[in-house]
Amino acid sequence: MAHLVLHPLDFEVLHADNIIRPGWLAGLYRHQWLTLLRLDQGLVEPGWSRDVTEAQFDACALRCGRTLKDRQKVTWRWTGFNFGVDLVMVHSRRQISLRRNVRQELPLLISQANSRDVIYRSSSGLTAVQLARGQEVRVLTLDEAATYPLLLAKLSSNSKHAPRIV
């Protein structure tokens, strides 16, 4: 259910469709709001990202796919999710990189925290990194044998501690 309310438009659609009773969403709204406040104030457990198990990650993941049609350089972003973490992905020269974007013209919409924990999964398993504002990390180097099109996915979730972003 938490994945139904990751963006303000999601709330509007849920209410307009009137499929789910508003009262059923009250606990979800509270959880999302408290998670946002904890993150914004830096009140998350230190090291939470190192303690995430594969099972927890799989149970809480939201999958959003992207298809890379060929070897050309492609840049894309996933915004509006993960409590203000603006992630930019880059595919160039058979490498995939992840950058935490911080745009100064939108200071109230994007987290300005000095660093944010990010978890991603690649063929080597779960990897936790701490991204500073504007920092970029290489996530994956594609094998020469890899053929296009390639399907990539971003996985994110909300826990009682902090969001997990992949």
Side-chain angles (χ1 to χ4, degrees):
M1 289 284 286
H3 302 308
L4 294 175
V5 292
L6 294 174
H7 192 276
L9 292 176
D10 297 338
F11 288 102
E12 292 178 21
V13 169
L14 279 174
H15 286 286
D17 287 350
N18 203 25
I19 295 171
I20 300 173
R21 299 173 107 187
W24 292 356
L25 297 173
L28 179 60
Y29 294 157
R30 181 181 184 278
H31 171 77
Q32 295 288 70
W33 179 245
L34 289 175
T35 301
L36 175 65
L37 291 175
R38 282 187 197 104
L39 287 167
D40 190 53
Q41 297 298 315
L43 300 175
V44 294
E45 292 181 19
W48 69 266
S49 60
R50 292 186 304 272
D51 300 329
V52 174
T53 66
E54 291 270 347
Q56 291 170 319
F57 186 86
D58 290 342
C60 299
L62 170 68
R63 291 158 178 87
C64 303
R66 175 75 180 203
T67 301
L68 300 177
K69 295 180 181 179
D70 53 40
R71 292 178 180 230
Q72 299 214 359
K73 181 177 180 176
V74 180
T75 301
W76 70 97
R77 68 180 348 119
W78 280 298
T79 59
F81 296 107
N82 306 313
F83 303 96
V85 177
D86 185 9
L87 295 178
V88 176
M89 302 292 295
V90 179
H91 168 255
S92 178
R93 296 186 305 266
R94 301 191 69 79
Q95 293 187 2
I96 310 274
S97 299
L98 173 65
R99 181 175 71 236
R100 180 174 165 222
N101 194 36
V102 180
R103 296 171 27 199
Q104 296 305 317
E105 69 272 16
L106 302 171
L108 298 177
L109 298 178
I110 297 173
S111 172
Q112 298 296 313
N114 288 330
S115 65
R116 294 295 295 266
D117 289 338
V118 175
I119 299 175
Y120 64 87
R121 176 185 290 156
S122 64
S123 57
S124 60
L126 295 181
T127 302
V129 295
Q130 195 171 70
L131 291 177
R133 292 184 282 186
Q135 182 179 357
E136 185 170 326
V137 295
R138 184 175 36 197
V139 172
L140 180 67
T141 299
L142 299 171
D143 188 280
E144 284 296 325
T147 58
Y148 292 83
L150 296 174
L151 176 63
L152 303 176
K154 172 190 164 225
L155 310 172
S156 66
S157 73
N158 305 319
S159 75
K160 67 180 181 178
H161 305 295
R164 294 181 185 93
I165 306 160
V166 178

